[in-house]
Amino acid sequence: MGVTRFDLIVVGLGAMGSAAAAHAASRGRRVLGVEQFQPAHDQGSSHGRSRVIRLAYFEHPAYVPLLRRSYELWRRLEAATGRDLLQITGGLMIGSPDTAVVSGSVRSAREHQLDHELLDAAELHRRFPAFTPRLETVALYEHEAGSLAPEEAIRAHLDVAADNGAQLHFDERVDDWRVLPSGTIEVRTSRARYAAEKLILAPGAWAGALFKLAWLPLAVEPQQLHWFLPHGGAAAFHRDRFPIFIWDLGSGTQFYGFPADDQERVKVAFFRSKVTGEDAIREALRPCLPALANGELIETVSCKYTLTPDRHFVIGPHPDWPNVTIASPCSGHGYKFASVIGEILADLAIDGTTRHPIDLFDPRRFRDSPS
Ligand SMILES: Cc1cc2nc3c(=O)[nH]c(=O)nc-3n(C[C@H](O)[C@H](O)[C@H](O)COP(=O)(O)OP(=O)(O)OC[C@H]3O[C@@H](n4cnc5c(N)ncnc54)[C@H](O)[C@@H]3O)c2cc1C
C-alpha cells in the first residue's frame, strides 16, 4: 500500500497543534493533523470552559511581546470564524506587596508600560465587593486581562485549518515517527503510515513518549477546577464587578478565578497547591471570598499540567532532527499563547526560524545544564 505524503504533519490537535495546523495550512502547505481523541476533548490540558489571559506577566517580562501578538491573533481568529473567543474582564493580581504575583506583575507592568492601577485593600473591596482582603493586601488592576474560551478556540483553529485544505484525522493515535536517511519523516499511526518533509509535535501531556528526548525533564500533574454557586446569589460575581483574578496567599499558595458564567457558576482553582479536598478549599476561600466559601460546590474537573523545572515552555527545533519541531508550552500557563505559538511553530517548521523571541524556551537548556 502506498504511503500518503504531506508537506507537514502535526501530531496532537489540542491548543497548540490546532493553531499550528491553521497557520501552516493558511500558508499554502499540505498539512495533515492527527489527534488521538475527538476535537476539543476533555482528556488533556485544554478543557474547562475558560482560561486566563493577561499582559502583566509576573512569571517573566519576556512573555509580554508574545502576549501582544497573541491578543492580536485571537481577535483575528474571531473575525475569521465568527466565534466569540476572548472576553476582556479586567484582571486583579492580589496579595501582599512582596508576593511573587504582585511584585512580578508590577515589575512587568512598569517595564512594558502596561495600563494598570495599584489598589489598596479598601479600594479593592469598594470596587470589587465580593473580595474581602486583609488590610495589608494590595492589588494590581490590569485593564486588558480577560478570559478565553478554550474548547471554542480549538474548534476555531481547526475550522481555519480545514478551510485551508488541511486533512484532520481524529480518533487516530500516532504510535511512532522516524527520520529516514533521505530526510523524509515517516509517521506510523493506529491506522496508517504517512510521510512528510516536516513534523510538528504538540502532544501536550503525552510529550514524554513522543519527543524521544530522554533527558528532557517533563512532569505531568493533574489539577482540579471547581465551580461554585455563590451563597446569596451571583450579583457581586458578574464581570463588571468581578474580573479574572490571581490571589497569592504567600508560602506557595495561589488561587485564581473567573467571573460568573451565564449559569451563575464561578470557577476557581488552586495553582499546584496542597489545598485539596472540599473542606480545605472552603477554608482557604473563607477569608478572601466568603460567598464562595459558603456557596454550593457543583462541579470539579481534572486537567493535566505538563511542567518543566523552570516553569518556562519548551518550543524549538528538535535537538537531534532539525525538520522536527517540538512544543510543550504548558507549565500551567500556556493557553493564552496558543494563537502566537501556532504562528511560531509554523515559522519554525516552514522557514526554520521565527521573528518571535523564543530563546527562553530552548529545549537544549535542560541538556546543557541539567537541573
Ligand atoms: C487546570 C488547568 C488550568 C489552566 N489554566 C490556564 C490559564 O488560565 N491560562 C493559561 O494560559 N493556561 C492555562 N492552563 C495551561 C494551558 O491550558 C496549557 O498550557 C495548554 O492547554 C497546553 O496545550 P497543548 O496543545 O500543549 O496540550 P493539549 O491541548 O492537551 O493538546 C495535546 C493534544 O495532543 C494529543 N495527542 C497526544 N499524543 C498523541 C498521539 N500519540 N497521537 C495523536 N494525538 C496525540 C492529545 O490527545 C491532545 O489533544 C491551564 C491548564 C490546566 C490543566
Side-chain angles (χ1 to χ4, degrees):
M1 212 176 75
V3 173
T4 320
R5 294 190 77 89
F6 294 87
D7 295 329
L8 170 61
I9 297 176
V10 180
V11 179
L13 295 174
M16 308 303 156
S18 64
H23 281 277
S26 306
R27 292 190 212 169
R29 294 306 187 278
R30 284 188 314 133
V31 173
L32 168 67
V34 187
E35 165 57 49
Q36 62 184 342
F37 300 127
Q38 282 291 300
H41 61 84
D42 62 1
Q43 305 296 304
S45 306
S46 299
H47 56 286
R49 307 183 204 124
S50 49
R51 288 291 185 272
V52 169
I53 181 166
R54 57 198 154 85
L55 273 171
Y57 222 66
F58 64 85
E59 291 86 343
H60 199 297
Y63 287 90
V64 177
L66 293 175
L67 282 162
R68 292 192 197 281
R69 179 64 174 160
S70 151
Y71 271 86
E72 200 175 302
L73 289 172
W74 288 124
R75 288 302 188 204
R76 197 184 285 183
L77 184 62
E78 286 185 314
T81 60
R83 294 179 188 258
D84 287 331
L85 306 176
L86 168 59
Q87 196 173 60
I88 300 299
T89 62
L92 287 166
M93 306 297 130
I94 311 172
S96 62
D98 58 343
T99 52
V101 166
V102 173
S103 64
S105 300
V106 169
R107 178 166 71 108
S108 171
R110 290 194 175 137
E111 192 170 321
H112 290 277
Q113 289 155 11
L114 305 176
D115 192 10
H116 71 284
E117 296 169 58
L118 293 173
L119 312 180
D120 62 17
E123 180 73 356
L124 171 59
H125 180 63
R126 191 184 65 74
R127 283 172 59 179
F128 308 105
F131 297 96
T132 52
R134 279 197 260 190
L135 207 58
E136 66 277 16
T137 302
V138 297
L140 175 138
Y141 180 70
E142 186 202 320
H143 300 256
E144 287 303 305
S147 167
L148 285 161
E151 295 91 347
E152 192 71 359
I154 289 177
R155 289 192 196 97
H157 275 134
L158 293 175
D159 283 353
V160 171
D163 289 349
N164 285 281
Q167 280 192 37
L168 305 176
H169 293 187
F170 295 94
D171 290 321
E172 180 169 351
R173 191 188 58 248
V174 169
D175 289 328
D176 201 7
W177 58 271
R178 63 189 179 125
V179 182
L180 303 176
S182 63
T184 297
I185 297 158
E186 187 184 76
V187 172
R188 186 165 54 79
T189 76
S190 48
R191 286 199 223 147
R193 280 173 199 272
Y194 309 98
E197 301 310 309
K198 303 286 171 64
L199 180 64
I200 294 175
L201 299 173
W206 292 265
L210 276 183
F211 281 0
K212 301 187 189 227
L213 290 171
W215 45 262
L216 192 67
L218 296 176
V220 176
E221 262 183 22
Q223 299 285 319
Q224 317 302 327
L225 299 164
H226 310 282
W227 281 265
F228 283 88
L229 285 179
H231 181 75
F237 291 86
H238 289 152
R239 72 182 148 108
D240 53 333
R241 317 180 78 194
F242 193 83
I244 65 100
F245 70 91
I246 303 178
W247 197 318
D248 193 332
L249 296 169
S251 58
T253 303
Q254 297 166 3
F255 72 103
Y256 60 95
F258 297 80
D261 63 17
D262 51 9
Q263 292 169 56
E264 314 256 283
R265 299 171 299 194
V266 178
K267 182 173 116 175
V268 291
F270 285 80
F271 182 76
R272 304 197 62 228
S273 150
K274 291 174 206 72
V275 179
T276 51
E278 185 172 340
D279 291 346
I281 289 165
R282 288 185 189 280
E283 279 322 298
L285 289 175
R286 200 169 308 282
C288 307
L289 288 161
L292 289 191
N294 298 324
E296 186 187 346
L297 175 60
I298 50 172
E299 193 181 350
T300 293
V301 159
S302 181
C303 165
K304 297 183 178 89
Y305 276 6
T306 306
L307 297 145
T308 61
D310 63 10
R311 307 291 173 256
H312 297 306
F313 306 151
V314 167
I315 303 174
H318 192 291
D320 301 329
W321 293 284
N323 290 353
V324 179
T325 304
I326 61 173
S328 175
C330 187
S331 286
H333 65 114
Y335 199 94
K336 61 184 80 61
F337 299 92
S339 56
V340 68
I341 289 173
E343 181 170 65
I344 291 169
L345 296 176
D347 286 346
L348 293 174
I350 295 169
D351 307 326
T353 178
T354 180
R355 69 187 165 86
H356 293 294
I358 58 164
D359 289 353
L360 193 60
F361 313 137
D362 191 332
R364 293 169 299 182
R365 69 189 186 279
F366 297 114
R367 183 188 62 191
D368 300 339
S369 58
S371 45

